[in-house]
């Protein structure tokens, strides 16, 4: 597998980052994952404009046009011209000395990897996570930041319960997201999805679904989730995926 | 500078981690920072027992005795036999393929670095962070997990306000911690520090101070913070550091 790192394409086993990289030491960075079909990135512009926007939240910049060109080239270099592939772009603040003080000037690290992904899976069996909440009070919950510890904790809880995924509530007890997806719930005739301020990540597919007029933003309580008629998980790799809850009282 | 990584001591510029390391891609790991004085780690046992305990929260294990021996050797290899040095130990879940699913078996990454640190600084001018809250609903807020994004956001806010550090409130509006320290507040005759459940990290110095009987755990509201007679920040590098608030109404 060929990866891109800081200006060069190289084989994955020779692609390394410094042990001082703040992406590694502090989770100080953002990333994007997009789907390529038959060698063509879907919504590349929306993805890399979002990456630029999310990078700005933590004080970094991302070159939208450069990243789009790199994604194309990465797929070519790997011969990924047929089928489904995920392209992940990671942008960190780069090497730093100890402590939180920002390196000045920063020399950000850019990594891009591609990997085959299976066809979109069938419906997801999900649990409502009981051991971890999403941080609605952090601007990082609205962006694709590197620190996925809470989501991984929820994922482990789902796995231990024999489920495919977990839904995360925020500290106010309202729905935020799943471990790697946005969530839409159908209540009566309305499809609703949590606003970013409730701790929802600003997903590209989520934005599409909202723009389509299919759904609207509204705070979704835990009770709403349990009584929802239908649930939908969205992300760029699996699109729209039906879900049903294993651990709700009445279901 | 000599660093330890996965079984070997090498120069820092040759010490790398794979781009697939989950510490980098997902902030999936824990760490510890201890102070060494004249080449001798302080409280090494307490630090590495805590690292073991924190690793267990995310399903990893840390070998307390091995890590203590490595810290001694790292200081020797660097000739750090006089003065103050910080030793940082990082433990990640190691390389993984894309997505959150845990690598099985995992091949964790262990990194240990040492660096000189200046004498403990004078009193800290702090602000109460307005742009980010601490996630009291996550078990990761109680451990030294890699995802420091929220703390970095608070640190940037402090810097922009001309302060040295920021205090983080949780989503309930109660005090949790500073960006890299625990916080103690004096209210009347009592010294109080937030319980871990309020989003406080389980600090080694914090534990010492509590065990000494100097302070007790209690939820500290934002109002309490503003009316506190004294504030103290604690961590392993700077010990106990006085602090005063720049942006409280009455101060």
């Amino acid at each position: 597998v060929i990866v891109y790192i800081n200006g060069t394409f190289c084989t994955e086993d020779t692609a390394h980052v410094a042990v001082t990289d703040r992406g590694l030491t502090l989770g100080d960075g953002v990333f994007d994952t997009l789907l390529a079909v038959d060698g063509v990135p879907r919504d590349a512009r929306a993805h890399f404009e979002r990456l630029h926007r999310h990078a700005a939240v933590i004080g970094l910049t991302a070159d939208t046009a450069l990243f789009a060109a790199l994604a194309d080239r990465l797929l070519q270099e790997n011969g990924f011209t047929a089928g489904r592939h995920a392209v992940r772009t990671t942008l960190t603040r780069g090497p730093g000395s100890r402590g939180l003080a920002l390196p000045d000037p920063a020399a950000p690290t850019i990594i891009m990897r591609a990997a085959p992904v299976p066809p979109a899976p069938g419906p997801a069996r999900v649990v409502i996570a009981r051991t971890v909440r999403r941080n609605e009070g952090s601007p990082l919950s609205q962006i694709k930041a590197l620190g996925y510890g809470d989501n991984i904790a929820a994922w482990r809880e789902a796995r231990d319960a024999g489920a495919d995924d977990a839904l995360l509530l925020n500290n106010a007890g309202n729905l935020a997201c799943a471990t790697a997806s946005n969530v839409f719930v159908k209540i009566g005739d309305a499809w609703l999805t949590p606003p970013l301020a409730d701790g929802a990540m600003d997903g590209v597919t989520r934005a599409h679904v909202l723009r389509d007029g299919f759904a609207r933003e509204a705070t979704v309580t835990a009770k709403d989730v349990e009584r929802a008629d239908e649930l939908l998980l969205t992300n760029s790799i699996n699109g729209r995926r039906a879900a049903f809850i294993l651990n709700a009282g009445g279901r």
Side-chain angles (χ1 to χ4, degrees), chain A:
Chain A
V1 181
I2 305 291
V3 308
Y4 171 86
I5 178 163
N6 290 341
T8 48
F9 288 88
C10 62
T11 57
E12 187 172 272
D13 57 316
T14 62
H16 297 114
V17 300
V19 292
T20 54
D21 196 285
R22 287 172 61 108
L24 173 70
T25 58
L26 298 168
D28 192 10
V30 290
F31 71 104
D32 172 76
T33 304
L34 62 73
L35 178 68
V37 177
D38 296 340
V40 181
R42 284 206 176 156
D43 290 322
R45 190 182 169 133
H47 277 274
F48 292 123
E49 282 177 351
R50 183 188 62 166
L51 185 58
H52 179 83
R53 210 163 61 237
H54 288 187
V57 171
I58 63 166
L60 295 177
T61 54
D63 183 332
T64 302
L66 169 70
F67 284 11
L70 289 174
D72 288 337
R73 168 118 183 252
L74 180 70
L75 291 160
Q76 286 164 20
E77 294 275 349
N78 281 287
F80 289 161
T81 54
R84 289 161 46 87
H85 295 87
V87 176
R88 172 171 163 144
T89 306
T90 304
L91 175 67
T92 83
R93 207 180 304 273
S97 45
R98 50 162 262 96
L100 303 194
L102 306 195
D104 182 23
T109 298
I110 302 168
I111 301 164
M112 200 176 282
R113 294 160 56 199
V117 287
R125 298 159 304 145
V126 303
V127 290
I128 300 171
R130 309 291 190 201
T131 60
V132 59
R133 299 289 179 108
R134 181 88 169 167
N135 188 6
E136 72 272 29
S138 172
L140 298 199
S141 292
Q142 304 182 23
I143 69 172
K144 219 163 163 63
L146 291 179
Y148 257 52
D150 292 345
N151 302 46
I152 294 167
W155 187 92
R156 292 176 68 213
E157 185 180 338
R159 181 203 59 184
D160 293 347
D164 301 312
D165 203 348
L167 306 182
L168 285 111
L169 305 178
N170 63 24
N171 289 281
N174 298 320
L175 180 65
C177 56
T179 67
S181 301
N182 288 108
V183 183
F184 290 78
V185 301
K186 191 178 182 191
I187 309 277
D189 288 334
W191 280 96
L192 308 175
T193 197
L196 302 188
D198 284 352
M201 205 278 291
D202 168 29
V204 169
T205 305
R206 173 184 181 278
H208 277 309
V209 172
L210 286 171
R211 209 162 35 237
D212 286 352
F214 174 81
R216 63 182 170 83
E217 289 185 326
T219 289
V220 176
T221 67
K223 272 217 164 67
D224 288 337
V225 176
E226 300 208 356
R227 73 187 173 91
D229 298 308
E230 292 182 61
L231 286 169
L232 210 50
L233 308 183
T234 65
N235 67 24
S236 296
I237 302 303
N238 294 327
R240 303 179 186 198
R241 183 184 186 190
F244 58 94
I245 299 177
L246 296 181
N247 66 344
R251 296 176 76 94

